[in-house]
Amino acid sequence: MEQNLLEVRNLKKYFHTPAGLLHAVDDVSFSIPGGKTMGVVGESGCGKSTLGRSLLCLEPPTSGEILFRGKNIANLKKKEMKAIRPKIQMVFQDPYSSLNGRMTVRQLIAEPLLVSKLCRTRAEVDKKIDEIMDTVGLARRLDMAYPHELDGGRRQRIGIARALILEPEFVVCDEPVSALDVSIQAQILNLLMDLQESMGLTYLFITHDLSVVRHISNEIMVMYLGKCVEKAEAKEIFRNPVHPYTKALLGSIPIPSVESCHKKRELIQGEVTSPVNPKPGCRFAVRCPYASERCRQGDIPLKEVGRGHFVACHMAE
Ligand code: SF4
């Protein structure tokens, strides 16, 4: 049986705002076996980035457990977290704004090593930088360049190098290709998959784009307003989506063919409602064409509708 590297149990992250309590992540549970990828998809504001930041304890969770190699890291003290931090890293969405424009490529890649004090000598740091630049496909001649002199793909390779130089086991990839051109997206996705294989990495891959997550994920979790509404193996989600929101997300993937123009798609109407003081019941009810009175009464738990396929919807029963 596969060992889970990460196990998340009933994770909640709420924020106090002047308007009330914002439920960014609300009772989310999942696990990721070592060397696998969990894709997290949903519209902007569904809580997927907050979930990723909570796993790194950049946003301390309101409640719940985050078990990394069986140890709950949800509320560790600063010193204890410092020891685990190199093992859990993040690749950010915008490789331009996440890099300090006044630092050279070499300085940017060296920074995590120097902060974590994992190397004893400068020669050791330099050797590691050269190695990681080769690993992520950055030419060594670019080491004195500044981020603004490079294209988006190379900048994202710097972001990946910064995350991987500490030899992590688990990496949260927060929309790592959304800010890139389509042709560069494929290069970065392939690089992430190659690195996963060669370094045995485990990923949480956050995106709003189901067509991107399809190729990289073993399992997919669909989030809506802080809740997990559907979770299954990637192939199963695409073959047999059950939740009306997942169906609508899949329906929104553009298909470049004339026949597809005539096919009826389930598109979502309306806008995402506020996650501040959410009403009881299904959070998708205001936009769901199948909503009934029953959907507005009480929470809708995830139910297993097939092997490893969980859905939070009355229609799934
Ligand atoms: Fe729609 Fe009701 Fe299912 Fe929610 S529980 S997705 S409102 S049918």
Side-chain angles (χ1 to χ4, degrees), residues 229 242-245 281-296 300 311-316:
V229 294
V242 175
H243 197 282
Y245 179 61
C282 176
R283 292 188 187 170
F284 188 57
V286 285
R287 300 170 84 189
C288 179
Y290 312 104
S292 64
E293 206 37 54
R294 190 179 165 212
C295 305
R296 296 185 174 88
I300 299 161
V311 184
C313 174
H314 287 317
M315 284 217 321

Side-chain angles (χ1 to χ4, degrees), residues 169-242:
E169 293 179 60
F170 176 58
V171 182
V172 175
C173 303
D174 187 4
E175 305 255 16
V177 295
S178 308
L180 305 177
D181 293 343
V182 176
S183 58
I184 311 278
Q185 282 188 5
Q187 287 177 20
I188 296 295
L189 282 179
N190 288 337
L191 173 66
L192 287 169
M193 287 194 280
D194 290 346
L195 292 171
Q196 177 169 47
E197 208 173 306
S198 60
M199 299 174 76
L201 297 168
T202 305
Y203 291 144
L204 182 89
F205 195 96
I206 297 168
T207 179
H208 61 272
D209 187 342
L210 264 168
S211 55
V212 165
V213 88
R214 175 179 208 161
H215 298 288
I216 197 162
S217 305
N218 301 95
E219 242 189 299
I220 292 179
M221 177 163 80
V222 182
M223 283 185 75
Y224 189 81
L225 274 186
K227 290 267 188 198
C228 167
V229 294
E230 186 158 8
K231 188 171 62 172
E233 274 189 14
K235 276 189 211 149
E236 171 70 5
I237 286 270
F238 281 87
R239 196 176 42 215
N240 180 29
V242 175

Side-chain angles (χ1 to χ4, degrees), residues 138-155:
L138 265 175
R140 288 191 195 179
R141 65 182 160 78
L142 297 174
D143 71 341
M144 297 313 283
Y146 288 89
H148 72 270
E149 297 174 297
L150 305 174
D151 60 40
R154 287 199 178 99
R155 285 199 291 259

